Amino acid sequence: MRGCVIHGAGDLRVEDVSVPRPGPGEALVAVRYGGVCGSDLHYWRHGGVGDFRLREPMLLGHEVVGTVVAYGSPDPDGPAAGTSVAVHPATPCGECPECVDGRRNVCRDTRYLGSAARFPHVQGGFAARIVVPARQLRPLPAGLDPRRAALAEPLSVALHAVRRAGDPTGRHVLVTGAGPIGCLVVAAAKAAGAAHVTVTDPLPAALEYARAAGADTLVRADVPEDSGRPVEVDAAVEASGVAAGLDTCLRLVRRGGVVVQLGMLPPGQSPFAGNLVVSREIELRGAFRFDGEFDDALRLLAAEPAFDALVSAVVPVREAASAFELAADRSRSCKVLLDFGAAPAG
């Protein structure tokens, strides 16, 4: 069968991979769609994400939806074969202090699809057939199209970031960065009751996707005199992954406000206005992945067809190189999906 494998920076290959067999407690899933994530692009461009560096070839992908094919146990604890499912990509250990404390998203021994955080790497979901623990399967809510359901993983990330910022009800929220995650943060904040969401980005096309997600005010980040730039906001989510975005959040959030760093900053040290954190008593919080938000994301996607506007292209897996080029060009795309529906299983 065909799989999308990263061998190093700039070395992405669609190649034959073995069809896996499920063991006890595992399910074989026929993948239909896989969303190209910013971390996938980082592996492709730079050979790593943050401090997670490639040390061996790895199947990419962790935003996966498909259909249950079979189980490795005679009495499976999961949806029946033939059920359309989304795959929760994390398998936390359940035993470390973080898991015991209810923060499984920062489990120190987690396994995450398509991640080089550990070695051997955890192979991802960009293949025609994958095996995952049965407990990671989530049946799609009635009426939810698999194409839209492919947004469940990044929307979960956005929901977690908004929750880290505190209750947004009736408040003004700033989002820096209008990539796929930033746009989903906009949607998550509005769904949670934010009264006003302002988004900054240097690209007009990206800002239009943010408008489709529900943004109230669009600001060109590269135009300091942009009339839409707020004087002050109640909370801010940095979703661009660049130091300038964090600086904007710290300078615009009110005294005593909350800034959530969601975008993955480059490895090493990043400059930021730490003096403002002190003098304005700003709370700077990190947001990493998600946990129970995955189920909430599926429910929200089922209820809101407007999310379809954020899927800008669906590309056959055989054209993965073109899909990655498109996903990396934010002037032409928001979320790009790989289609495994016509891929032979091998």
Side-chain angles (χ1 to χ4, degrees):
M1 67 174 182
R2 309 302 283 171
C4 188
V5 181
I6 187 72
H7 287 256
D11 189 1
L12 177 70
R13 308 178 196 176
V14 177
E15 59 190 33
D16 288 324
V17 296
S18 299
V19 178
R21 290 191 174 191
E26 295 180 330
L28 178 67
V29 176
V31 174
R32 179 58 200 271
Y33 296 117
V36 179
C37 176
S39 63
D40 297 320
L41 295 176
H42 275 285
Y43 284 123
W44 169 57
R45 284 169 154 173
H46 311 297
V49 177
D51 295 322
F52 306 154
R53 312 303 299 176
L54 282 171
R55 297 167 62 188
E56 63 177 346
M58 183 178 74
L59 272 170
L60 289 173
H62 53 264
E63 303 175 5
V64 179
V65 296
T67 305
V68 178
V69 175
Y71 288 92
S73 306
D75 297 311
D77 183 17
T83 303
S84 294
V85 294
V87 178
H88 192 306
T91 308
C93 74
E95 299 177 354
C96 69
E98 291 74 29
C99 284
V100 173
D101 195 36
R103 303 188 67 179
R104 301 191 305 172
N105 61 300
V106 288
C107 167
R108 63 185 65 190
D109 194 30
T110 194
R111 298 180 62 82
Y112 206 88
L113 292 180
S115 171
R118 60 191 298 159
F119 184 83
H121 301 333
V122 181
Q123 298 298 312
F126 283 174
R129 301 287 188 272
I130 62 172
V131 164
V132 295
R135 65 180 180 274
Q136 290 178 225
L137 303 181
R138 302 292 190 274
L140 300 191
L144 177 55
D145 184 272
R147 185 175 181 268
R148 194 190 313 159
L151 296 174
E153 194 275 352
L155 179 56
S156 302
V157 172
L159 288 170
H160 181 68
V162 169
R163 289 173 183 175
R164 290 284 288 157
D167 185 2
T169 302
R171 298 191 171 191
H172 188 168
V173 177
L174 170 69
V175 180
T176 53
I181 291 291
C183 289
L184 289 167
V185 170
V186 171
K190 295 295 284 188
H196 196 98
V197 177
T198 295
V199 182
T200 69
D201 197 282
L203 296 177
L207 289 172
E208 287 306 312
Y209 279 113
R211 187 195 304 278
D216 299 288
T217 301
L218 310 177
V219 176
R220 284 284 297 272
D222 57 339
V223 181
E225 65 275 14
D226 191 312
S227 60
R229 188 176 296 270
V231 175
E232 185 175 84
V233 298
D234 298 302
V237 178
E238 202 302 291
S240 71
V242 298
L246 176 56
D247 186 77
T248 297
C249 290
L250 291 171
R251 295 186 185 283
L252 294 184
V253 76
R254 64 173 176 80
R255 292 173 180 268
V258 176
V259 172
V260 175
Q261 181 62 46
L262 173 59
M264 187 68 78
L265 293 166
Q269 296 182 342
S270 295
F272 75 102
N275 58 313
L276 297 180
V277 174
V278 176
S279 63
R280 298 183 184 178
E281 214 167 74
I282 296 168
E283 293 189 45
L284 178 57
R285 303 172 181 172
F288 187 61
R289 296 177 177 163
F290 55 90
D291 188 17
E293 290 90 353
F294 196 74
D295 300 292
D296 298 329
L298 287 170
R299 286 190 287 268
L300 183 55
L301 288 166
E304 185 49 75
F307 282 103
D308 290 338
L310 301 183
V311 178
S312 46
V314 180
V315 181
V317 65
R318 65 179 179 274
E319 300 172 19
S322 296
F324 274 61
E325 292 281 359
L326 178 60
D329 186 351
R330 294 178 56 245
S331 68
R332 296 193 295 139
S333 70
C334 185
K335 174 57 69 174
V336 175
L337 306 183
L338 289 176
D339 186 352
F340 293 83

